[in-house]
Amino acid sequence: MVTHKPENIENSSPALLRLASYNLQKCVGLDMRRRPDRTLQVLADLGAQVAVLQEADKRRAPRPAALPHAMAEHEGWRVLPFGQPGGSLGWHGNAMLVRPEVTALETAHIELPGLEPRGAIRADLLTPIGPLRVIGLHLGLIRRYRILQLNALAHALQGLPPLPTVIAGDFNEWGRTAPLEAALRGLRLLSARASFPAARPVAALDRIALGPGLLAHAHDSHGARPAHIASDHLPVWADIAQDG
């Protein structure tokens, strides 16, 4: 079993929740080897209690899981039910894993517009810091559609009962984030941490945004071995607490 080794956090603390976001690149590393065991080692090294994943499934229909359910469960994760017929781990490649101390209250898919097939996932969770809504996404390659997608997401969230909210994923934004932040409508992006390309990161494509009532005690990207080779992205993480 992969060792679950927290990084810079005491998991016994009831005041913090570590959340991570990781684009798995279908568990294919920079050495062109598909190694889900290596992906799980990176996730264990992060010490996260909630892991928001992108590109967790293979590309071709029926998009079977690149990170097998059984392997994730063997390492102590619970796979939230976003998968589709055919054995996928998630929806449009978006998936979410949680540790046993986190309980899923409700899960849902959110349709996103664009030329490319895109979607987001939503999980309302009961966590060590209280109820929390976590959105996982992988935005499009064209900025105009990224903004449309965030606007669609904001509209979907407006129709739900309010909860402290985190949005995490691959935002695919190389340039100015001001237009995206405006579309987030009250959620704030944590400061950029370079995560792409993994071997020599220069771009902060992978981001975490927090809504009102939440703050980050710490956040960063994770480049320690084997994350430097396990995917073309590095994972990013944040230690989240209630604000006050």
Side-chain angles (χ1 to χ4, degrees):
M1 177 178 287
V2 173
T3 303
H4 177 42
K5 184 172 60 179
E7 173 189 292
N8 300 326
I9 185 174
E10 295 181 5
N11 282 341
S12 60
S13 170
L16 292 176
L17 177 84
R18 177 161 289 189
L19 179 143
S21 178
Y22 193 15
N23 184 324
L24 307 187
Q25 198 188 210
K26 306 168 189 67
C27 297
V28 177
L30 298 182
D31 57 0
M32 303 307 295
R33 299 173 66 194
R34 191 183 301 278
R35 290 275 308 277
D37 61 311
R38 185 168 56 186
T39 299
L40 285 165
Q41 181 64 63
V42 175
L43 290 171
D45 290 345
L46 285 164
Q49 294 149 291
V50 178
V52 180
L53 309 178
Q54 305 85 49
E55 298 194 25
D57 299 320
K58 297 178 184 178
R59 184 177 298 276
R60 294 184 179 179
R63 298 201 67 172
L67 179 64
H69 293 66
M71 287 184 68
E73 291 169 351
H74 185 260
E75 300 307 330
W77 293 103
R78 286 190 289 124
V79 180
L80 297 193
F82 294 111
Q84 302 293 288
S88 64
L89 196 73
W91 191 61
H92 290 288
N94 297 295
M96 201 177 303
L97 310 179
V98 299
R99 290 297 187 186
E101 63 268 28
V102 176
T103 301
L105 304 174
E106 182 176 282
T107 59
H109 300 154
I110 302 173
E111 296 280 356
L112 298 181
L115 290 175
E116 318 154 73
R118 297 284 173 175
I121 55 175
R122 171 177 67 86
D124 292 353
L125 306 174
L126 186 59
T127 78
I129 63 169
L132 189 68
R133 177 168 291 145
V134 179
I135 307 295
L137 51 72
H138 188 176
L139 297 182
L141 298 175
I142 299 170
R143 173 177 282 187
R144 179 164 67 94
Y145 289 110
R146 290 196 288 272
I147 294 170
L148 285 173
Q149 287 158 6
L150 287 180
N151 279 326
L153 177 59
H155 179 74
L157 293 179
Q158 284 176 349
L160 297 172
L163 272 181
T165 299
V166 180
I167 298 177
D170 183 350
F171 279 64
N172 254 325
E173 181 55 65
W174 289 79
R176 293 175 57 251
T177 58
L180 300 187
E181 291 181 289
L184 285 169
R185 301 185 196 179
L187 281 83
R188 63 196 184 283
L189 284 171
L190 298 183
S191 55
R193 298 291 188 265
S195 61
F196 183 88
R200 186 172 293 182
V202 295
L205 303 189
D206 304 279
R207 304 295 294 266
I208 297 172
L210 302 183
L214 298 173
L215 56 83
H217 279 236
H219 70 285
D220 209 344
S221 58
H222 172 82
R225 293 174 181 268
H228 72 301
I229 196 173
S231 169
D232 60 345
H233 288 245
L234 297 178
V236 296
W237 58 269
D239 290 340
I240 300 167
Q242 292 185 5
D243 188 359

